[in-house]
């Protein structure tokens, strides 16, 4: 008997746009148990589930959804955690519309199961219930592993390897763990409390966390290799791109990294209660169209900006940002200037940004990435008055470690070259994954890389063959 | 680790802090800096390394109380642990056998040139040190410099000790006594470094300055420390902090350092006037 | 006939009145002579020697500030010798003052990076100093064109003092001009500062270098106002640089309404100074800035149990309350800190609404009675031979009385405990109730004469022996005082206008031919009194059972348990005493007029608007009327009602019970609407001790209480926690506190009923 298919996704309770523009609390409030079960019951429990192929860490999606539908949330979270140790994070930041939900059978009817929301629900439920289970750790293997970077890749591989009995030490350059989860993704998308909770969990498993330790400066990678049997590099894409146009040095022009770090890591929005300041500009322009740009724009709104613009050189369809974030930004009143490119910056007498001179673009033939290339429209220059600009056009991998390490092969834009099947680099005993390999990508892909590297590392540690 | 072993007041506004951190001590070199936070809500600030002892695992930092974070730092006592101490960051100064090298230090630079002095001496250079301040009461670490350098030129604005005038006077005096200078390193307040650059450019003496813009992470991640050198954008924390003085766009540096002046003053007002209001 | 003398200055003949200094006359003639240690308010001193001039026939150069211009003198103020001498004199000063910046070749460029220097903690040069650009020493250096200092510079290395409230002292910058010492000793007569040591070790400071708090400093800020350099600066002046504007304004904290000058940067007041005409007290000097900086403003209207609401909702709620009650069920209470315009509008509002019950805590009696005794001109205290003072005085009056006493005048002080005036007066007696003074004097006279007095009915109730013993005065002393009063040619009685009924005071004045100087306390108390002809007595208001709703403008705790609408710039109590709260403009946020104690109109100037949507008091009243379909009537409350002596009732203050204490509120200039200086500002807590309760030694012994013990004070219906301190010179049975609003509410309501405020102290 065909089950009645409900073709409407259970809506997610959200703060209203007027409300949430003023605060840094999470926008999406999460499903209640009733809403979660309602959504979970929509799942058709396909015999050959297509969703799983979209998941970089191969979560057993129909199973955990079934547990939710039955009201057995405990088993749901345990099923999730078999494959994904950071479900609270992923449920919030994964671009599910490009991954699992894209392949869902109901996606053709534009009502795919809200897999991400259900994952988030299960994770939040576990945290609220206070019953977080610590898995059993097998006896120590005697092998020591160093993880460089406590971002999503680092945390994933650390927890994988500690559960295989190895001794794990994470080296983090900043004074707080989480990497981009902490400094990059704003509080209203991913509350830091969740990140610290996950880090705490990993520490409870026995992982040693060394903060304020910059591999490449405080100790070189070669020195680390003398003490540890294997090293994983998850240092991320922490080198901001600038457009290198005239006037980029003026005050009020930030890289997205700086803007977000001041706000998220250093809690600039609490100034003067916290010491690090951030300018609460009234008219802000964010250059770029990715998730980072959306984050920067929505952060600017919450800091009290009256007018926030996204300046993007292509059109909405080409924007790489997560759909939900684009929609949220639109609801909150962010103005989108599509097909626009900044040409130069103009400052006032004190060196503060005053205006951006922009030029309109039109889309031409597709380029190497497959997206249509933007071409400037002659004579279409115009100026936008601003008092702050956030340049969010992308990042490349931080060059510190390749610069200070012998024998580590890098690609043309500074990324570390790895064997995609194992995550091994060109240097013996060294693996890498995440943004440092891919350039600015996603959290879940970093976690996927980490998982692959973990398997390869474990084999190397136990068998000793490179 | 990160424990303060000694905190000493040198002269008004300046303090000397010795911290235990064997990793940094092992790697530190002249021209490098550390990033420090004074408390959990504090800012990340760069401070130059003024000395290191690889055997004892300690580094010495000379800092001036120029804002909220450094004031909080100055109030710390021996035995306290710093919440954040990261380093050594920045490219170490390029030390080779140059010949006759003049090091000019002002403000915190009087401390920051010291490791350079030692390294240059080890390389076999003739090391001439000039330290400058407004008056004799504001010079410190004379013993250290006298014991290390081959020649010592203190300078005061009012002539209360040594030469009288500004940094150009030191350069003139050294040229007079030594005939020529092969390289100059200048560390100190932005105006002082700019004046050295202006003096030495027509003389054609290669001058290296150690820039001090605003920083947050110190590892090249955010770009707030960007400076214009030779028309190109460079990050002071990973490309510097040493740069060729004649290529630096001083106006841009000075302008960028003022970016948060209002907020800095608000924080200071809150900190110091809080006892009244 | 004033005598005139003739002299020659710089070759020009001058004619001037005899007895004036060379400097004064040169100034009149437009001849400039640089000075540092002179000041309009201070007598000439000759300390700095910058003003030296050449006098023909005299070998030494003479200081023009304190040398009398005599007939026939030939003076040169601009010769090379004089110029050189002045430069050398200033060079001496500069050699012990961090002056490197003045000589630096890159001074101008250094302004570009001054933002780095100015944040440093200790001043080591002009660019670091809070007074850079407004320093008088810099001015003189510029005028004398000093480019070099040929002397060796020495930095004395005295650690700057930063622990005292409100201002900081860096004696490394002191040029020993002595202005601060002179203003403290000669003008204010407080004597906190003096010169210590001698010769090259001379420095200015407190005795034994104790902190100003310990030294009994009043924190009037006069020393800071007169200091020419950055040696003494207000803490809030640091890092602001030269002000954008210097705006004249009026202090709102007491009826003196002193003129002030506000230093403003980016529309924010960062420092308040006195004008050259007079000095301030701690409330004006530091309290104004503190109140301005107080970020504790409640930014949105509040409804009890609902929290923040929109203005629309709040005003509708208020209109509903007013609409649903009868006219005689509503009462309005006005703060004596409101401007004349607001008070007039409130009266019009009441008229439009049909409300007749308006009052103010400042109205101990009906408004019309006060006009009998208010003065319309400032009296010249120095002309009196004898003064009887029975109230705490505001600083300007206090200074004048101190000077009178020092010049030989007879001053008798009667107060429940020592004030700053006490050690300057002939005689001080601790009495619990100021109204006893005229009553005792009148009773003594009455007993010896047959002449009937209008207030005989009251005098009959006074038992002289009891009163004298309560006050600790013997009959002989009383007779002596009466003799003294009779003999004195010009005499005055200074007292708190609300402490004794005006009719008693009038009789006292007639019988003894003594001038009456009544003192009002709050910022616009006189302005309110002048508009209060239709207003009712506070005590009648409090005891009116019919009143169900209280509409309070600026008086927290006026509600007394009834439904209360409170309009105030500051929210005193988050939890009690109001049902609706409406935030309004504060001082410096709107223009207005106050009437000072002597009847002069003073202007309050608006400087900036708050960064949230506050309304003015008047606008709220207009909006409420709009909602009720009415508008403000034209009545302005200026019709005078003839005061009637019939129905004059006044009861003697009742004596306290054994276990009670007379509560003496030591407060003068602490309140502005809902803002309490000593509760809201930490600095004031330190100088006024809002937490302590002070009693005498014998009382402490009897109650078995120790110094420093925590006790509970029960006063009326309020219980507050305080720390007990034992003080030597407090009269038995009296307890001294700096009251908070809660306690003030009880004190005022007791006073309104004619009761001496009483309370109990418990563990």
């Amino acid at each position: 008997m065909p089950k009645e298919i409900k073709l409407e996704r259970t809506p997610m309770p959200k703060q209203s746009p007027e409300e949430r523009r003023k605060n840094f609390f999470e926008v999406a409030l999460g499903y209640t148990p009733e809403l979660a079960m309602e959504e979970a019951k929509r799942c058709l429990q396909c015999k050959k589930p297509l969703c799983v192929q979209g998941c970089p860490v191969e979560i057993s999606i129909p199973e955990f959804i079934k547990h939710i539908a039955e009201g057995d949330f405990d088993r749901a979270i345990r099923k999730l955690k078999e494959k994904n140790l950071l479900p609270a994070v992923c449920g919030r930041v994964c671009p599910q519309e490009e991954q699992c939900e894209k392949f869902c059978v109901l996606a053709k009817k534009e009502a795919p199961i809200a897999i991400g929301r259900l994952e988030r629900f299960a994770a939040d439920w576990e945290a609220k219930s206070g019953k977080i289970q610590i898995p059993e750790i097998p006896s120590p293997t005697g092998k020591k592993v160093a993880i460089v970077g406590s971002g999503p890749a680092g945390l994933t591989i650390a927890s994988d390897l500690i559960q295989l009995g190895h001794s794990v030490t994470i080296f983090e350059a900043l004074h707080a763990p989480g990497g981009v989860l902490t400094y990059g993704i704003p509080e209203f998308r991913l509350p830091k409390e969740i990140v610290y909770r996950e880090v705490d969990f990993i520490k409870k498993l026995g992982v040693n966390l060394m903060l304020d330790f910059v591999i490449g400066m405080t100790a070189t990678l070669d020195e680390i290799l003398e003490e540890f049997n294997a090293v994983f590099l998850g240092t991320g894409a922490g080198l901001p791109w600038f457009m290198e146009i005239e006037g980029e040095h003026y005050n009020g022009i930030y890289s997205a990294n700086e803007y977000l770090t001041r706000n998220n890591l250093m809690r600039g929005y609490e100034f003067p209660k916290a010491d690090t300041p951030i300018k609460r500009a009234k008219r802000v322009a964010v250059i770029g169209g990715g998730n980072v740009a959306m984050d920067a724009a929505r952060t600017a709104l919450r800091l009290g900006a009256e007018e926030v613009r996204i300046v993007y050189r292509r059109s909405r369809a080409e924007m790489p940002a997560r759909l939900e974030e684009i929609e949220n930004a639109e609801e909150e009143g962010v103005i989108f200037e599509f097909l626009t490119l900044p040409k130069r910056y103009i400052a006032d007498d004190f060196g503060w940004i005053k205006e951006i001179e922009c030029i309109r673009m039109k889309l031409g033939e597709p380029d190497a990435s497959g997206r249509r290339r933007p071409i400037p429209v002659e004579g279409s220059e115009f100026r936008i008055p601003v008092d702050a600009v956030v340049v969010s056009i992308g990042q490349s991998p931080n060059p510190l470690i390749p610069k200070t390490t012998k024998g580590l092969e890098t690609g043309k834009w500074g990324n570390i070259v790895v064997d995609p099947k194992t995550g091994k680099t060109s240097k013996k005993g060294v693996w890498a994954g995440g943004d440092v390999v891919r350039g600015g990508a996603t959290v879940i892909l970093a976690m996927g890389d980490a998982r692959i590297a973990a398997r390869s590392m474990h084999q190397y540690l136990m068998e000793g063959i490179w | 680790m990160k424990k303060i072993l000694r905190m000493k007041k040198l002269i008004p506004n300046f303090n000397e802090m010795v911290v235990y951190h064997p990793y940094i001590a092992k790697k530190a070199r002249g021209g490098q800096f550390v990033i420090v936070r004074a408390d959990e809500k504090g800012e990340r600030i760069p401070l130059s390394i003024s000395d290191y002892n690889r055997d004892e695992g300690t580094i010495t930092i000379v800092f001036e109380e120029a804002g909220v974070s450094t004031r909080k730092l100055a109030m710390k006592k021996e035995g306290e642990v710093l919440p954040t101490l990261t380093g050594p960051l920045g490219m170490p100064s390029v030390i080779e056998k140059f010949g006759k090298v003049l090091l000019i230090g002002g403000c915190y630079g009087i401390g920051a040139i010291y490791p350079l002095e030692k390294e240059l001496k080890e390389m076999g250079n003739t090391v001439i040190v000039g330290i400058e301040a407004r008056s004799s009461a504001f010079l410190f670490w004379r013993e250290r410099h006298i014991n290390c350098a081959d020649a010592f030129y203190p300078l005061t604005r009012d002539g209360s000790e040594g030469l009288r005038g500004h940094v150009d006077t030191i350069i003139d005096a050294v040229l007079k006594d030594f005939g020529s200078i092969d390289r100059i390193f200048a560390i100190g307040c932005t105006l002082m470094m700019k004046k050295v650059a202006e003096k030495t450019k027509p003389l054609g003496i290669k001058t290296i300055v150690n820039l001090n813009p605003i920083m947050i992470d110190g590892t090249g991640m955010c770009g707030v420390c960007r400076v214009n050198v030779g028309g190109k954008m460079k990050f002071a924390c990973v490309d510097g902090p040493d740069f060729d003085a004649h290529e630096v766009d001083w106006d841009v540096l000075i302008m960028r350092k003022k970016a948060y002046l209002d907020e800095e003053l608000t924080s200071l007002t809150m900190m110091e006037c809080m006892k009244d209001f | 006939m004033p005598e005139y003398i003739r002299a020659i200055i710089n070759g020009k003949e001058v004619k001037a009145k005899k007895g004036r200094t060379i400097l004064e006359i040169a100034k009149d003639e437009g001849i400039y002579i640089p000075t540092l240690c002179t000041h309009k308010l201070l007598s000439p001193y000759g300390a700095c020697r910058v003003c030296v001039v050449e006098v023909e026939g005299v070998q030494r150069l003479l200081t023009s500030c304190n040398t009398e211009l005599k007939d026939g003198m030939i003076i040169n103020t601009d010769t090379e010798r004089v110029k050189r001498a002045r430069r050398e004199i200033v060079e001496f000063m500069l050699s012990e003052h961090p002056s490197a910046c003045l000589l630096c070749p890159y001074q101008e460029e250094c302004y570009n990076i001054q933002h780095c220097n100015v944040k440093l903690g200790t001043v080591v040069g002009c660019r670091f100093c809070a007074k850079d650009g407004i320093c008088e020493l810099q001015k003189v250096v510029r005028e004398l064109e000093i480019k070099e200092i040929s002397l060796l510079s020495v930095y004395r290395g005295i650690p700057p003092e930063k622990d005292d409230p409100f201002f900081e002292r860096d004696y490394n910058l002191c040029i020993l001009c002595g202005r601060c010492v002179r203003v403290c000793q000669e003008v204010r007569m407080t004597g906190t500062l003096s010169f210590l040591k001698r010769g090259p070790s001379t420095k200015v400071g407190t005795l034994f270098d104790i902190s100003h708090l310990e030294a009994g400093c009043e924190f009037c800020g006069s020393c800071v106002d007169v200091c020419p350099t950055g040696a003494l600066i207000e803490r809030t002046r640091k890092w602001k640089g030269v002000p954008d504007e210097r705006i004249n304004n009026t202090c709102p904290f007491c009826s003196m309404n002193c003129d002030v000058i506000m230093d403003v940067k980016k529309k924010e007041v960062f420092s308040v100074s006195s004008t050259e005409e007079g000095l301030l007290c701690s409330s004006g000097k530091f309290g104004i800035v503190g109140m301005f900086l107080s970020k504790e403003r409640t930014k949105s209207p509040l409804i009890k149990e609902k929290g923040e609401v929109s203005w629309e909702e709040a005003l509708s709620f208020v209109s509903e309350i007013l609409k649903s009650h009868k006219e005689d069920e509503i009462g309005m209470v006005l703060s004596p800190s409101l401007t004349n315009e607001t008070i007039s509008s409130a009266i019009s509002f009441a008229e439009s609404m049909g409300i007749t019950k308006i009052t103010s805590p400042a109205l101990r009696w009906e408004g019309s009675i006060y006009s009998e005794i208010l003065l319309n001109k400032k009296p010249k205290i120095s002309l009196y031979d004898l003064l009887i003072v029975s109230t705490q005085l505001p600083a300007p009056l206090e200074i004048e009385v101190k000077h009178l006493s020092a010049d030989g005048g007879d001053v008798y002080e009667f107060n429940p405990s020592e004030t700053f005036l006490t050690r300057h007066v002939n005689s001080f007696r601790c009495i619990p109730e100021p109204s006893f003074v005229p009553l005792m004097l009148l009773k003594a006279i009455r007993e010896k004469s047959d002449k009937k007095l209008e207030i005989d009915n009251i005098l009959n109730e006074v038992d002289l022996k009891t009163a004298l013993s309560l006050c600790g005065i013997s009959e002989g002393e009383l007779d002596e005082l009466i003799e003294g009063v009779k003999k004195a040619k010009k005499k005055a009685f200074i007292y708190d206008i609300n402490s004794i009924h005006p009719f008693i005071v009038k009789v006292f004045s007639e019988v003894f031919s003594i001038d009456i100087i009544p003192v009002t306390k709050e910022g616009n108390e006189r302005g309110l009194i002048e508009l209060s002809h239709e207003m009712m007595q506070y005590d009648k208001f409090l005891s009116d059972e019919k009143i169900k709703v209280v509409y309070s403008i600026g008086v927290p705790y006026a509600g007394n348990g009834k439904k209360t609408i409170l309009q105030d710039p500051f929210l005193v109590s988050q939890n009690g005493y109001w049902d609706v709260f409406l935030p309004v403009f504060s001082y410096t946020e709107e223009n207005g007029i106050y009437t000072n104690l002597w009847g002069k109109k003073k202007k309050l100037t608006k400087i900036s608007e708050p960064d949230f949507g506050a309304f003015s008091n008047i606008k709220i009243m207009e909006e409420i009327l709009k909602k009720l379909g009415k508008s403000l009537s034209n009545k302005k409350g200026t019709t005078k009602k003839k005061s009637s002596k019939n129905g004059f009732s006044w009861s003697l203050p009742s004596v306290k019970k054994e276990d009670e204490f007379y509560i003496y509120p030591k407060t003068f200039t602490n309140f502005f609407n809902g803002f309490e200086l000593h509760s809201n500002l930490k600095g004031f807590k330190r100088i006024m001790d809002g937490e302590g309760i002070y009693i005498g030694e014998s009382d402490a012994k009897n109650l078995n209480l120790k110094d420093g013990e925590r006790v509970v004070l029960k006063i009326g219906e309020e219980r507050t926690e305080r720390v007990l301190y034992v003080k030597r010179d407090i009269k038995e049975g009296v307890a001294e506190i700096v009251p908070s609003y809660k306690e003030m509410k009880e004190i005022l309501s007791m006073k309104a009923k004619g009761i001496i405020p009483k309370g109990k102290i418990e563990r």
Side-chain angles (χ1 to χ4, degrees), chain C residues 517-586:
Chain C
I517 304 179
V519 174
T520 53
K521 300 232 162 157
E522 303 284 336
N524 196 22
E525 195 168 321
R526 169 142 183 178
L528 181 121
I529 289 174
E530 284 183 349
L531 294 167
S532 67
H533 304 287
E534 307 283 319
M535 294 189 197
M536 61 192 288
Q537 259 174 273
Y538 192 48
D539 127 62
K540 290 226 171 70
F541 181 89
L542 288 174
S543 52
D544 187 333
E545 297 274 326
K546 285 221 189 100
I547 296 179
K548 301 275 183 295
V549 173
V550 172
Y551 180 19
S552 167
I553 307 186
V555 187
Y557 303 110
N560 239 343
K562 308 191 176 132
K563 208 167 184 69
T564 308
I565 302 160
L566 177 61
Q567 245 169 252
D568 202 304
F570 301 94
L571 182 58
V572 169
S573 158
Q574 294 290 342
N575 306 319
Y577 307 101
W578 53 270
D579 292 284
V580 187
F581 174 79
L582 305 167
V584 295
F585 289 140
S586 175

Side-chain angles (χ1 to χ4, degrees), chain B residues 22-227:
Chain B
Y23 288 99
I24 301 181
K26 193 165 112 179
K27 283 245 138 49
R29 298 229 345 245
Q32 291 190 301
F33 62 94
V34 289
I35 291 269
V36 176
R37 270 192 322 154
D39 66 19
E40 285 305 322
K41 294 221 158 173
E43 271 196 274
R44 291 171 66 97
I45 56 167
L47 295 174
S48 296
I49 298 176
S50 296
D51 199 4
Y52 48 83
N53 188 323
R54 307 210 200 278
D55 301 320
E56 288 183 9
T58 61
I59 55 167
T60 304
I61 299 171
V62 168
F63 66 93
E64 50 185 309
E65 291 174 42
V68 171
S69 302
T70 37
R71 272 173 170 76
K72 284 189 196 169
L73 204 58
M75 291 196 281
K76 287 194 182 298
K77 304 215 178 15
E78 294 168 18
E80 283 187 51
V81 173
L82 292 171
T84 297
L85 178 65
T86 312
L89 299 171
M91 300 285 290
S93 297
V94 173
I95 306 290
E96 289 168 12
K97 186 144 184 210
F98 302 113
K100 286 178 272 187
V101 182
L102 169 60
L103 294 151
I104 308 181
C107 291
Y108 66 91
I110 298 177
I113 53 174
Y114 185 62
L116 286 176
E117 223 172 284
K118 288 202 291 188
E119 290 165 17
L120 284 163
K121 195 93 190 83
E122 268 168 46
M123 268 290 179
N125 290 288
T126 305
V127 174
I128 310 154
V129 164
I131 59 174
E132 66 97 10
R134 280 171 175 76
S135 191
S136 170
F138 309 128
L139 291 171
F140 58 91
W141 275 20
R142 295 171 183 78
E143 294 303 313
R144 287 203 194 215
H145 291 299
I146 293 173
N147 290 341
C148 181
D150 295 305
F152 177 62
Y153 289 81
L155 171 93
T156 49
R157 213 71 71 237
D158 57 11
S160 48
E161 185 176 330
L163 295 165
R164 183 187 183 140
H166 214 285
V167 280
D168 13 5
T169 316
I170 299 183
I171 298 173
D172 286 334
V174 172
L175 281 172
K176 184 155 160 271
D177 292 343
F178 286 83
S180 65
I181 307 175
D182 298 304
R183 185 156 287 214
I184 298 183
F185 287 85
I187 308 183
C189 94
T190 320
L191 184 65
M192 181 273 246
M193 293 194 286
K194 179 176 176 195
K195 288 297 161 200
V196 171
E198 286 173 5
K199 173 82 181 170
T200 61
K201 191 158 181 186
L203 298 172
I205 307 173
K206 177 113 177 147
T207 307
I208 304 290
V209 286
N210 192 281
L211 297 183
N212 53 7
I214 298 175
M215 290 189 191
I216 306 181
D217 64 294
T219 54
M221 189 190 86
C222 70
V224 70
C225 62
R226 56 189 191 276
V227 288

Side-chain angles (χ1 to χ4, degrees), chain A residues 62-77:
Chain A
E63 275 104 323
F64 95 80
I65 294 184
K66 179 146 179 263
H67 293 313
I68 294 181
E70 288 164 357
D72 194 344
F73 305 142
D74 193 42
R75 281 178 79 184
I77 187 63

Side-chain angles (χ1 to χ4, degrees), chain C residues 447-512:
Chain C
E447 276 179 351
K448 296 193 184 119
S449 102
D450 288 323
K451 186 160 171 218
K452 277 204 169 54
L453 293 174
E454 278 190 66
I455 53 168
D456 274 343
N457 56 331
I458 292 178
L459 287 177
N460 283 338
E461 308 281 326
V462 176
D463 179 46
L464 192 55
K465 276 205 173 52
T466 316
L468 284 173
S469 105
L470 268 178
C471 297
I473 303 174
S474 70
E475 282 209 39
E477 284 171 327
L478 185 66
D479 288 333
E480 240 184 77
L481 174 59
I482 293 175
E483 281 310 299
V485 173
K486 281 191 182 154
K487 269 210 203 104
K489 270 192 262 159
K490 262 188 83 84
K491 45 230 169 173
F493 176 53
I494 310 182
Y495 76 108
D496 175 350
I497 202 173
N498 277 330
S499 60
I500 311 172
H501 199 286
F503 288 161
I504 299 180
V505 174
K506 282 216 85 169
V507 171
F508 179 61
S509 169
E510 280 161 18
V511 168
F512 285 91

Side-chain angles (χ1 to χ4, degrees), chain C residues 164 190-193 206-207 210-218:
Chain C
D164 272 319
T190 313
T192 306
L193 286 172
T206 55
L207 210 53
I210 55 181
S211 73
H212 272 234
L213 265 180
E214 291 169 329
C217 173
E218 290 175 30

Side-chain angles (χ1 to χ4, degrees), chain C residues 571-685:
Chain C
L571 182 58
V572 169
S573 158
Q574 294 290 342
N575 306 319
Y577 307 101
W578 53 270
D579 292 284
V580 187
F581 174 79
L582 305 167
V584 295
F585 289 140
S586 175
Y587 177 60
T588 72
E589 289 169 3
E590 59 177 352
N591 288 315
I593 304 283
Y594 271 15
T595 308
N596 80 359
L597 176 56
W598 317 119
K600 190 163 167 209
K601 300 274 189 284
K602 305 295 296 237
K603 183 159 175 265
L604 270 68
T605 312
K606 170 177 171 177
I607 295 185
S608 62
E609 282 192 4
D611 59 1
F612 55 95
F615 282 14
S616 71
N617 281 307
I618 298 178
K619 179 157 178 204
I620 292 178
M621 290 189 270
E622 285 173 347
E623 292 293 314
I624 295 174
L625 287 173
K626 245 197 249 168
K627 284 207 183 291
L628 298 172
K630 304 183 198 202
S631 61
L632 271 179
S633 87
N634 284 324
K635 183 166 184 177
K636 292 293 177 203
T638 48
T639 54
K640 274 191 161 171
K641 205 163 83 172
K642 183 86 174 87
S643 55
S644 68
K645 292 209 170 84
N646 298 333
F648 157 40
S649 72
W650 186 83
S651 49
L652 284 168
S654 59
V655 177
K656 73 171 181 74
K657 300 197 210 81
E658 264 296 323
D659 58 346
E660 285 178 325
F661 277 86
Y662 288 121
I663 300 297
Y664 183 54
K666 240 193 144 134
T667 165
F668 203 90
T669 52
N670 287 348
F671 300 98
F672 176 78
N673 289 310
F675 195 85
E676 283 181 286
L677 284 178
H678 59 280
S679 328
N680 293 42
L681 299 179
K682 288 194 202 113
F684 279 91
K685 273 194 220 179

Side-chain angles (χ1 to χ4, degrees), chain B residues 9 12-14 64-68 71 107 133-138 157-161 164-168 189-192 194-195 198-199 251 253-259 261-262 264-277, chain C residues 98-101 103-106 109-113 115-128 148-155 162-168 235-236 238-240 266 286 289-291 293 680-684 686:
Chain B
K9 192 172 172 67
N13 302 324
F14 284 83
E64 50 185 309
E65 291 174 42
V68 171
R71 272 173 170 76
C107 291
R134 280 171 175 76
S135 191
S136 170
F138 309 128
R157 213 71 71 237
D158 57 11
S160 48
E161 185 176 330
R164 183 187 183 140
H166 214 285
V167 280
D168 13 5
C189 94
T190 320
L191 184 65
M192 181 273 246
K194 179 176 176 195
K195 288 297 161 200
E198 286 173 5
K199 173 82 181 170
D251 293 327
L253 175 62
I254 292 172
M255 174 200 78
R256 284 187 66 77
K257 280 183 69 136
K258 278 194 218 168
L261 185 59
D262 283 342
E264 288 165 2
L265 296 179
T266 303
S267 288
L268 263 177
T269 306
M270 256 190 68
M271 182 182 181
E272 302 237 320
C273 296
M274 272 321 279
K275 55 158 95 71
D276 293 334
F277 301 124
Chain C
S99 48
C101 286
L103 318 163
C104 178
Y106 303 128
E109 237 187 296
C110 192
Y111 280 109
N112 271 339
I113 58 150
H115 58 277
C116 296
N117 291 336
V118 84
K119 296 185 299 174
L120 288 175
T122 306
V123 173
V124 293
C126 295
R127 297 296 93 79
F128 300 69
E148 258 195 21
I149 301 173
S150 48
L151 299 160
L152 193 63
S153 281
V154 170
Y155 180 73
K162 300 195 173 188
D163 291 327
D164 272 319
F166 305 126
F167 69 98
E168 296 185 351
R235 200 166 277 125
T236 48
K238 291 203 282 190
W239 315 302
K240 297 293 191 294
K266 292 191 190 165
F286 301 115
V289 180
M291 190 166 73
L293 288 179
N680 293 42
L681 299 179
K682 288 194 202 113
F684 279 91
R686 290 174 75 192

